[in-house]
Amino acid sequence: MGSAIAGVFGAGPNTAFSQYVGLVTLTKVASRRVMIIAGLILVALGIFPKLSALIAVMPQPVLGGAGVIMFGLVAAQGIKTLATINLGDRELLIVSVAFALGIGVTVRPDMLANLPSALQMILSSGISTGTLVALLLNIILVNRKTKETR
């Protein structure tokens, strides 16, 4: 909704990335003040290209190492979240199929080649594919616990 409103006023989209979960897990810092300061630093980097050049000269292995840690923490946080709920056979099926298809389109994007371009655009991201599959399976597969209580 925020991105739609931003587009009306000619601003860029507002996005939230899952890496922030990993960053908060790693640093244990989730303060608004820190986020405001980080935002001000990003604004300064956008206004002054010479400051951005300092970031651009960071060696690729450093960025790669940070990326591995961040995405690993995001995955671990997801597993930790799944561990806190009671997963029955239905839920395990939903999670496993969504996870497998999400990884599948990321590793083998050519598997979408025969789909219409609109579907390719939607399903090209593993996150969107996994989410949509999980939502559809949650709707389609019968929840026996809910059915028995009626």
Side-chain angles (χ1 to χ4, degrees):
M1 185 64 133
S3 291
I5 294 170
V8 169
F9 292 103
N14 304 305
T15 58
F17 295 99
S18 58
Q19 295 93 307
Y20 299 138
V21 173
L23 187 61
V24 169
T25 302
L26 183 65
T27 63
K28 306 287 189 259
V29 175
S31 167
R32 280 184 198 226
R33 287 188 188 140
V34 172
M35 294 302 140
I36 291 169
I37 292 169
L40 292 173
I41 290 170
L42 290 174
V43 168
L45 291 172
I47 294 173
F48 304 108
K50 294 293 183 187
L51 290 177
S52 299
L54 292 174
I55 304 298
V57 298
M58 190 177 299
Q60 289 297 321
V62 172
L63 291 174
V68 166
I69 291 170
M70 295 293 279
F71 290 112
L73 284 169
V74 170
Q77 229 15 64
I79 292 168
K80 182 178 174 185
T81 301
L82 284 174
T84 62
I85 60 173
N86 184 15
L87 293 175
D89 292 338
R90 174 184 178 272
E91 292 79 16
L92 280 173
L93 179 65
I94 292 171
V95 169
S96 62
V97 171
F99 187 72
L101 288 176
I103 294 285
V105 298
T106 303
V107 175
R108 297 282 314 269
D110 57 309
M111 69 191 290
L112 303 172
N114 294 327
L115 294 176
S117 60
L119 276 178
Q120 285 181 14
M121 186 171 47
I122 292 169
L123 299 176
S124 63
S125 163
I127 294 171
S128 62
T129 300
T131 302
L132 289 172
V133 167
L135 289 171
L136 286 173
L137 287 177
N138 192 40
I139 292 168
I140 293 170
L141 295 177
V142 177
N143 189 351
R144 294 188 193 275
K145 291 176 189 172
T146 306
K147 192 175 181 180
E148 289 173 2
T149 58
R150 288 182 185 175

